[in-house]
Amino acid sequence: EAQVTQNPRYLITVTGKKLTVTCSQNMNHEYMSWYRQDPGLGLRQIYYSMNVEVTDKGDVPEGYKVSRKEKRNFPLILESPSPNQTSLYFCASSSRTGNSNQPQHFGDGTRLSIL
Amino acid sequence: GNSVTQMEGPVTLSEEAFLTINCTYTATGYPSLFWYVQYPGEGLQLLLKATKADDKGSNKGFEATYRKETTSFHLEKGSVQVSDSAVYFCALRGNAGNMLTFGGGTRLMVKP
């Protein structure tokens, strides 16, 4: 079954404690991205990756890092989380970078609470 | 830059009522337009899309027409069901790359 898998689904942690949210896709997609969803703001892109070892900033990259060492994985790293990073996070992937017709496939989301 | 504006929710309807969720956009060139649906506790699922002016996307009784003259992509359904209760996101993707720009989302609540 084609899917995008995020872990964990829920996490409550404290300010400053490094955390990583993993994302894995089994569709051999080149393109992967991370979004955060906040009430009234829709989804805003944090980082994206066009292929292995190629990453770039989205609209709201501050406080986040990513890596793309393998095609299937695209972890999101919060080196020193702060309360304003409390949000619902989604990973997405799609094929054929540069083709605007291809829809993105989303994971089920990770709800982070930073106290 | 690109932007998408949706009507604010929540939208509350009775079962079998007609649904319209407005969406307008600002973009250069000829973007592709999408509607995504998010059911409670789940990620976003593509509902329908349109890739050029006057295209009509349709799925599960929902439809939306790409209107370039009014820069709109309004979502409609003739008769909603309780199971349609969800959050609906309008989105666009420009010609360069895969980046999606989302609207703020509209929560739909359908009562029996």
Side-chain angles (χ1 to χ4, degrees), chain B residues 33-93:
Chain B
L33 301 174
F34 305 84
W35 276 100
Y36 282 84
V37 58
Q38 183 182 31
Y39 298 104
E42 299 183 13
L44 277 71
Q45 303 173 26
L46 179 67
L47 181 60
L48 54 84
K49 68 177 182 180
T51 59
K52 60 182 187 295
D54 300 325
D55 265 4
K56 178 184 285 188
S58 60
N59 186 25
K60 299 181 181 180
F62 291 89
E63 58 183 34
T65 301
Y66 187 162
R67 301 280 188 208
K68 190 161 178 63
E69 64 276 13
T70 55
T71 61
S72 64
F73 193 54
H74 304 323
L75 182 69
E76 296 181 337
K77 186 174 186 182
S79 176
V80 293
Q81 306 300 313
V82 173
S83 57
D84 293 327
S85 297
V87 180
Y88 292 83
F89 291 93
C90 185
L92 72 80
R93 181 187 290 152

Side-chain angles (χ1 to χ4, degrees), chain A residues 7 10 27 48-49 62 67 69-70 84 92 102-103 106 114:
Chain A
N7 278 296
Y10 305 92
M27 295 166 279
Y48 64 95
S49 169
E62 294 78 19
S67 69
K69 294 186 172 61
E70 308 164 279
N84 64 10
Q102 294 300 315
F106 284 81
I114 315 295

Side-chain angles (χ1 to χ4, degrees), chain A residues 1 7 10 28 32 55 65 68 107:
Chain A
E1 179 188 351
N7 278 296
Y10 305 92
N28 202 37
M32 297 184 75
T55 64
K65 287 174 56 177
R68 189 88 183 274

Side-chain angles (χ1 to χ4, degrees), chain A:
Chain A
E1 179 188 351
Q3 57 186 5
V4 178
T5 304
Q6 297 177 224
N7 278 296
R9 292 292 311 279
Y10 305 92
L11 179 64
I12 301 173
T13 188
V14 296
T15 298
K17 186 177 181 181
K18 179 179 178 180
L19 66 91
T20 299
V21 185
T22 63
C23 174
S24 178
Q25 49 93 4
N26 63 359
M27 295 166 279
N28 202 37
H29 284 166
E30 295 86 3
Y31 182 89
M32 297 184 75
S33 63
W34 276 102
Y35 296 87
R36 60 178 288 174
Q37 180 181 358
D38 301 290
L41 298 177
L43 278 76
R44 294 177 293 169
Q45 192 174 56
I46 302 170
Y47 268 94
Y48 64 95
S49 169
M50 303 287 268
N51 213 324
V52 176
E53 301 291 1
V54 181
T55 64
D56 210 343
K57 296 177 180 178
D59 290 331
V60 288
E62 294 78 19
Y64 304 95
K65 287 174 56 177
V66 293
S67 69
R68 189 88 183 274
K69 294 186 172 61
E70 308 164 279
K71 198 171 189 180
R72 63 184 291 124
N73 295 323
F74 190 47
L76 178 70
I77 303 156
L78 285 71
E79 293 273 6
S80 183
S82 61
N84 64 10
Q85 293 177 297
T86 293
S87 187
L88 178 59
Y89 292 84
F90 288 100
C91 180
S93 72
S94 66
S95 64
R96 299 174 65 185
T97 56
N99 183 335
S100 64
N101 295 336
Q102 294 300 315
Q104 294 191 13
H105 297 259
F106 284 81
D108 285 339
T110 296
R111 187 167 291 282
L112 289 184
S113 293
I114 315 295
L115 304 178

